[in-house]
Amino acid sequence: MELITTHVNADFDGLASMVAARKLYPRATLVFAGSTERRLDDFLSSDLRNLYHFSKLKDIDLSAVTRLVVVDTRQGDRLDRLQECLGNPSLEIHLYDHHPDAPGDLRGSVEHIELLGSTTTIFAGIFQKQGINLTPDEATLMSIGLHEDTGSFLYTGTTPTDLQAAAWLLEQGAKLEVVNQFISRDLSADQVALLSQLLKNSSVYSIQSMPVTVSRLTLPHYVDDFSALVRRMMVMENLDAVFTLVSMGERLYLICRSRIPEVNAGDIARAFGGGGHASAASAVIAHKTIFEAEEELLQLLYHSIRPHALACEIMSSPAITVTPNLTHQQASELLTRYNITVLPVVEDNSDKKYPKGLLGLVSRRVVEKAIAHQLGTRPVAEHMSTEIGTLPESATQTEIQELIIGHRQRLIPIVQKKNGEEVISGVISRTDLLNLLVNDPDRQPRSLLRQNEHPSTGRSRNISRLMIETLGREIIVLLRNIGETAEKLEMRAYAVGGFARDLLLQTRNLDIDIVVEGDGILFAKTFVGKQQAKLRTHEKFATATVSLPDGQRIDVATARLEYYVEPAALPIVEKSSLKLDLFRRDFTINAMAVHLNPDRFGLLIDYFSSQNDLKERRIRVLHNLSFVEDPNRIFRAVRFEQRLDFRITRDTEKLIRSVVQMRRGGQLSGLRFLNELKLLLAEDNPLASLRRLEGFGLFPLLWPDLRPNLKIDRRFAHVMTQAEKAIAWFRLLYLPEKDKQCEYWTVRLLALFSRSRELEMRHFCDRFEASPKLRRLLLERKHKAEAAAGAMLRSTSLRPSEIWQLLSGLDNEALLFLMTIARKKHIQQAVSRYTAELRSLKPLINGKDLVVLGLRPGPLFANLLKQVFAAQLNGEISSKEEAVNMVQRINKTAGRSRNSGNR
């Protein structure tokens, strides 16, 4: 006899896995080991229970069982009475489970054990490999189990494989309206009252500097799905770890929830004879009062929870170091270049990632004083501090505080053993610790927080829920794959820049920029091998571009630092840490990152209070020399200000005006500037941005070749408004996709030069190093459009064939520029008619048709076809037959003329 079963208090994942297992074991009997949740009873109507052939345990002869298929658990004591058959001779045990290994686990002759979000996911993978299809009802039940155990993909144990399983189940016909009916967690009035009692009976214990909530409640009878209340309390109060003891009737239950790695809910539950995951677990406690259980629970928590290793998380890596023979003057240059205040002195820093042989520390204050005393050429070894403390990567917050606050050490080198030698893997500064204490409410002293007040932002917070709501499943799966690839390579991967910014603005942005702490190119090559994608690398900048089969593009960069040898010069690039990589960016709102590695997926990293600036809608630079180093950032500031409806801060405006006053625009790289101008003009309605640039006094730097004191007057604003009207009109046309291709930024650039000669346009192209192709197109479009405008201005009644003759050589950009500069309405009407109607007409006949008519190819062919097409455009003929007749008439007339000439 074959049985399929799951744990007592079966949930939807257990039920779905039992039904799924039946497809692999069609002769097996389905039987529950014990009680089930009430929601399962609601789902399993009598008809559905009979459909899947569930049997009652009392009707089973346990001694006759020869194969036992156990799903969603491996703990024998969770099988209740079914444990009796475990001693049957020659019993085969087949196990399907997604929980981590635990003491007392059963062993099976067949085992499918994977650390996934649900056991349902395991079966979905098996079915896909074996080509087994599901009915819509089966797919729906499996979807309910998957959603329940992953918290609709919000629990930390969720994996990319779970999301892929969900997608496959939808393809199999899963009904989401049914899933929502059974997964929805709206509270009833009774549940709200219970939740209120639960909150009143909760206490917070600080165990190893981590807040753990323990609650207890005594109820006269059993309450179904009490775990939903615990989960709701956890979300409402933003709790990291919750342990609830609830006595219901004659039984005592322990419900464990945790979302931090230091507190393993599964370990605690197993100590009480239960089981589950690190994030969610439960147990039924026998022979103890609720107070005895609470005492034992607290002892277990104090024994099990270990201090959080913070050093490896907050350190900056790789460390910037110097050797002892470096002079104070050279050290000063490094301190300024990297914007730091202390340098570790080491014996050997040839390995930039792991310098070794720590000798001491030298600070900016010491270096500056040495230079002031004319000791700039002396080595730093003479004045470095040698009595310094170090910490390992596993160091806790307490140890970090002890060194920085207790011993007043400005910088802590973080060390580790590598190949038998002690090397520096990173450093922690006083600022790092201050950010940790001030911006993270979980580690902030309670006295610094007002009662019932929550900080508006923090240095880091998990935004995985926001990611799921904003990005959709496909992108989430892609990001998780990126994180898993980095994890396998022992690297860290982050989504950065505009992608992180727009996530917080709840705007879908699929321009994915990835920064890797490690070797970005190696990461990209490894990732491409798994995704069947195309790869283009840029060794000089340690970057790569990945193009996926569906067209999605991912830009990958090695965490790097850019510094500038002189103002407005091109940057020098060096490998760096995430923190320094973010510091090199243009504005605070673009200096955030989202962690993608599995253990910290969705963790937002914010070193520079970027979230505050985003909330206050501010554009602010990261340091005061930002525009001096790269004046192109001025145009980005203006572009972001207008696009996002933000405002440039007063200090940032002051820095812009200072750079403009210095008049360093001539040192800009022409091509880099042209790219920024292209992006600005590609925005919708860039007139506001142009007004802003004019207000900063940038017009003389932008186009000194145009007329003196160029400003946005009524005529300037009028021509730019006309360009926007022309673009808006063109976008509304119902044209084939191939006919709608247009680079709108060039239309706006041509509009800017509409009152200038072609000579000024040539100077512009020369000055900003436009490519030969762009240079040719700009000049051609300007010349052809202006020539057409002049010709059409002289004639107010143009026939269609004349319109076609004047405009057939103009592309979309030139046509829109012509509409922009048209001084008469009949010109705009002619352009509109040509674009929407005339240019799509195909000639009724061609050269082959003339040959069929007996005409010999020659110089008259083109003229003859031109006459016929003109008649077609003017509406004089409308069919091929009429076109043939016209050809014959023209040919006959031409023949008579030739004959009379011969006479």
Side-chain angles (χ1 to χ4, degrees), residues 180-364:
N180 186 57
Q181 176 185 346
F182 287 94
I183 294 301
S184 177
R185 298 300 174 97
D186 293 334
L187 299 183
S188 65
D190 290 341
Q191 287 177 314
V192 171
L194 288 173
L195 181 59
S196 177
Q197 292 182 49
L198 198 59
L199 288 168
K200 288 179 181 178
N201 289 278
S202 296
S203 301
V204 179
Y205 297 87
S206 180
I207 302 176
Q208 302 288 11
S209 301
M210 278 170 283
V212 177
T213 301
V214 176
S215 55
R216 63 177 184 270
L217 197 60
T218 300
L219 301 174
H221 53 78
Y222 180 78
V223 175
D224 189 55
D225 203 19
F226 195 86
S227 60
L229 297 180
V230 178
R231 181 68 189 173
R232 183 63 64 92
M233 180 177 76
M234 190 176 189
V235 172
M236 284 175 52
E237 299 298 308
N238 192 27
L239 305 175
D240 283 332
V242 178
F243 294 86
T244 298
L245 288 161
V246 54
S247 176
M248 294 188 281
E250 297 180 356
R251 287 196 171 189
L252 178 60
Y253 300 87
L254 172 64
I255 301 169
C256 315
R257 295 291 183 268
S258 172
R259 56 185 181 188
I260 53 177
E262 296 76 30
V263 182
N264 190 310
D267 287 348
I268 301 297
R270 279 188 286 274
F272 283 98
H277 308 276
S279 58
S282 62
V284 178
I285 303 175
H287 312 302
K288 284 185 175 66
T289 67
I290 193 169
F291 299 104
E292 290 172 335
E294 182 179 18
E295 176 111 13
E296 185 176 338
L297 172 63
L298 290 173
Q299 290 177 358
L300 272 170
L301 290 172
Y302 276 101
H303 177 74
S304 303
I305 297 176
R306 288 289 174 263
H308 182 40
L310 278 176
C312 61
E313 287 188 13
I314 69 171
M315 71 180 186
S316 297
S317 176
I320 299 168
T321 61
V322 296
T323 51
N325 57 350
L326 200 77
T327 66
H328 289 97
Q329 189 63 52
Q330 291 170 318
S332 176
E333 292 171 3
L334 285 176
L335 290 165
T336 301
R337 176 187 301 172
Y338 296 110
N339 195 38
I340 53 180
T341 57
V342 183
L343 285 167
V345 183
V346 297
E347 293 177 356
D348 179 10
N349 62 1
S350 56
D351 183 345
K352 298 295 183 183
K353 187 174 182 180
Y354 295 113
K356 56 189 177 183
L358 179 65
L359 299 174
L361 298 176
V362 60
S363 68
R364 181 187 295 273

Side-chain angles (χ1 to χ4, degrees), residues 1-6 14-33 44 48-60 67-71 82 123 138 141:
M1 184 180 187
E2 297 181 11
L3 288 187
I4 298 175
T5 192
T6 187
L15 170 63
S17 298
M18 288 175 66
V19 172
R22 180 68 182 278
K23 298 186 76 68
L24 301 178
Y25 305 90
R27 293 183 298 177
T29 300
L30 298 175
V31 60
F32 288 113
L44 283 172
L48 195 57
R49 188 182 293 269
N50 292 334
L51 175 65
Y52 291 121
H53 305 292
F54 282 89
S55 297
K56 294 182 179 179
L57 185 57
K58 66 180 182 179
D59 298 329
I60 302 295
R67 176 183 289 169
L68 182 64
V69 180
V70 183
V71 300
L82 281 174
F123 283 103
E138 291 168 339
L141 174 57

Side-chain angles (χ1 to χ4, degrees), residues 45 51 155 269 348 664 796 870:
S45 63
L51 175 65
Y155 293 169
D348 179 10
R664 295 193 177 276
T796 58

Side-chain angles (χ1 to χ4, degrees), residues 634-635 656-657 659-668 673 677 690-712 716 752-753 760 763-764 767-768:
I634 297 173
F635 307 103
I656 291 175
R657 297 184 191 282
V659 170
V660 173
Q661 189 67 28
M662 292 165 63
R663 293 189 176 263
R664 295 193 177 276
Q667 298 181 40
L668 284 170
F673 165 78
L677 183 61
L690 293 172
R691 289 187 189 278
R692 201 75 161 107
L693 294 178
E694 180 198 27
F696 285 129
L698 274 163
F699 270 25
L701 301 181
L702 285 171
W703 14 75
D705 302 314
L706 300 186
R707 60 192 183 283
N709 301 319
L710 174 66
K711 61 182 180 180
I712 300 180
F716 186 104
L752 285 170
F753 280 84
E760 279 78 28
H763 288 167
F764 174 86
R767 186 173 181 219
F768 298 112

Side-chain angles (χ1 to χ4, degrees), residues 475-719:
I475 298 299
I476 292 295
V477 170
L478 176 62
L479 295 176
R480 283 198 176 274
N481 285 336
I482 290 171
E484 288 183 344
T485 301
E487 188 75 14
K488 290 177 181 176
L489 294 172
E490 297 184 353
M491 301 179 186
R492 293 180 183 178
Y494 307 85
V496 299
F499 181 84
R501 176 199 69 220
D502 289 346
L503 260 180
L504 294 182
L505 294 174
Q506 298 186 44
T507 300
R508 187 177 171 86
N509 182 349
L510 300 185
D511 293 332
I512 302 176
D513 292 320
I514 302 297
V515 164
V516 175
E517 282 188 320
D519 188 332
I521 292 180
L522 173 60
F523 165 84
K525 289 178 179 178
T526 305
F527 181 73
V528 163
K530 296 181 178 181
Q531 299 292 322
Q532 297 180 340
K534 295 180 180 178
L535 176 67
R536 188 172 75 249
T537 61
H538 314 277
E539 299 287 344
K540 179 180 178 182
F541 296 103
T543 61
T545 301
V546 177
S547 300
L548 298 175
D550 61 0
Q552 176 71 52
R553 199 179 84 164
I554 304 170
D555 292 318
V556 179
T558 304
R560 65 190 192 269
L561 171 73
E562 294 176 351
Y563 65 88
Y564 297 76
V565 176
E566 59 184 50
L570 288 169
I572 305 299
V573 177
E574 290 185 359
K575 284 188 178 182
S576 180
S577 64
L578 174 70
K579 185 176 180 181
L580 290 177
D581 182 279
L582 295 177
F583 184 72
R584 73 177 175 81
R585 294 179 182 269
D586 46 15
F587 311 110
T588 56
I589 61 170
N590 294 329
M592 291 177 286
V594 180
H595 212 312
L596 300 181
N597 285 45
D599 58 335
R600 296 172 194 160
F601 184 83
L603 187 69
L604 180 71
I605 307 299
D606 177 8
Y607 293 109
F608 310 108
S609 298
S610 305
Q611 295 171 80
N612 280 335
D613 287 337
L614 205 61
K615 180 182 177 182
E616 299 298 328
R617 309 181 74 80
R618 296 186 296 233
I619 306 291
R620 179 169 61 90
V621 291
L622 287 153
H623 60 90
N624 289 354
L625 294 177
S626 183
F627 296 123
V628 173
E629 293 178 343
D630 186 1
N632 284 314
R633 289 173 176 163
I634 297 173
F635 307 103
R636 291 203 286 277
V638 170
R639 177 159 54 88
F640 286 132
E641 181 184 51
Q642 301 305 318
R643 184 206 293 177
L644 301 174
D645 193 24
F646 281 25
R647 62 177 178 83
I648 300 173
T649 64
R650 184 179 302 175
D651 285 344
T652 302
E653 281 190 353
K654 180 181 176 182
L655 296 173
I656 291 175
R657 297 184 191 282
S658 174
V659 170
V660 173
Q661 189 67 28
M662 292 165 63
R663 293 189 176 263
R664 295 193 177 276
Q667 298 181 40
L668 284 170
S669 166
L671 188 57
R672 292 178 70 223
F673 165 78
L674 187 60
N675 288 334
E676 287 299 329
L677 183 61
K678 175 181 176 180
L679 291 171
L680 188 144
L681 293 177
E683 298 282 334
D684 290 335
N685 299 309
L687 182 58
S689 296
L690 293 172
R691 289 187 189 278
R692 201 75 161 107
L693 294 178
E694 180 198 27
F696 285 129
L698 274 163
F699 270 25
L701 301 181
L702 285 171
W703 14 75
D705 302 314
L706 300 186
R707 60 192 183 283
N709 301 319
L710 174 66
K711 61 182 180 180
I712 300 180
D713 53 16
R714 288 182 59 190
R715 290 183 63 186
F716 186 104
H718 173 74
V719 73

Side-chain angles (χ1 to χ4, degrees), residues 107-158:
R107 302 299 298 176
S109 55
V110 173
E111 292 188 353
H112 290 270
I113 313 299
E114 296 183 60
L115 294 181
L116 301 171
S118 74
T119 304
T120 301
T121 303
I122 297 174
F123 283 103
I126 293 172
F127 292 164
Q128 290 178 74
K129 289 178 182 177
Q130 297 185 11
I132 298 175
N133 292 320
L134 304 177
T135 66
D137 287 338
E138 291 168 339
T140 301
L141 174 57
M142 291 180 68
S143 290
I144 295 174
L146 178 56
H147 275 267
E148 181 184 60
D149 254 33
T150 61
S152 293
F153 313 109
L154 294 178
Y155 293 169
T156 54
T158 305

